[in-house]
Amino acid sequence: MTMRLNELSPAEGARSERKRVGRGIGSGLGKTAGRGHKGSFARSGKGKIKAGFEGGQMPMYMRLPKIGFRSKLKDNVAQVFLYQLEGLEAGEIDFAKLREAKLVPAKAKQAKIVKQGEITKAFTLKGLLATAGAKAAIEAAGGKFADAE
């Protein structure tokens, strides 16, 4: 027996008929059409209330104090640790070299050296940011910053 497209039908109970509202008192959904009397939900296009709305009472998100801060620049600055630099050849290091070595993600626009781990090689860092501890560790290992003031 073959199945034919014109013989296909949905399973029993899978589909229900749509409500036909506002079609007279005998239908059970006449007059107010199941929306009740007055109020925002009874009106056309006005059934939505803002998330967090508490009926005119000062909402919770406004009663609580504002805390914290999220920097929009954070994603632009990548962190590079001292132990990661140790894996590179000694010499001059700039942002392009860090990107080549895949120490910096593609969306980063700057790199900052952070003191984590040890460093023994002498590096000349050009155009890179560094924390105070990282700066001291690099200079102690014989390295320097090319663009230092």
Side-chain angles (χ1 to χ4, degrees):
M1 185 173 168
T2 59
M3 189 182 290
R4 298 196 172 144
L5 287 175
N6 65 326
E7 293 172 355
L8 289 176
S9 64
E12 198 63 43
R15 294 177 66 98
S16 55
E17 284 197 25
R18 71 184 183 94
K19 262 188 202 175
R20 295 190 71 227
V21 297
R23 293 293 182 275
I25 200 165
S27 70
L29 289 169
K31 195 183 171 229
T32 55
R35 286 171 170 259
H37 293 277
K38 298 186 182 175
S40 67
F41 295 104
R43 318 219 185 277
S44 86
K46 303 276 186 203
K48 289 184 182 153
I49 53 169
K50 190 173 156 187
F53 182 69
E54 297 183 22
Q57 170 177 294
M58 184 63 70
M60 181 69 82
Y61 70 89
M62 289 176 80
R63 284 187 304 232
L64 296 173
K66 288 191 265 185
I67 55 165
F69 170 75
R70 286 177 191 259
S71 173
K72 288 181 173 70
L73 300 174
K74 191 182 91 169
D75 291 343
N76 295 340
V77 181
Q79 287 187 344
V80 180
F81 302 119
L82 288 179
Y83 69 85
Q84 291 175 312
L85 286 181
E86 193 68 24
L88 301 174
E89 287 181 34
E92 193 172 286
I93 290 185
D94 58 358
F95 186 73
K97 280 227 175 110
L98 291 177
R99 186 163 275 170
E100 245 175 63
K102 293 195 169 44
L103 294 176
V104 174
K107 68 178 181 177
K109 292 180 176 52
Q110 274 186 312
K112 187 170 196 169
I113 312 298
V114 180
K115 186 184 180 204
Q116 193 167 353
E118 298 296 318
I119 190 165
T120 54
K121 298 176 185 173
F123 292 106
T124 304
L125 300 174
K126 195 172 183 182
L128 298 172
L129 305 169
T131 62
K135 222 172 218 181
I138 289 164
E139 287 166 355
K144 62 180 183 184
F145 287 83
D147 50 312
E149 284 87 35

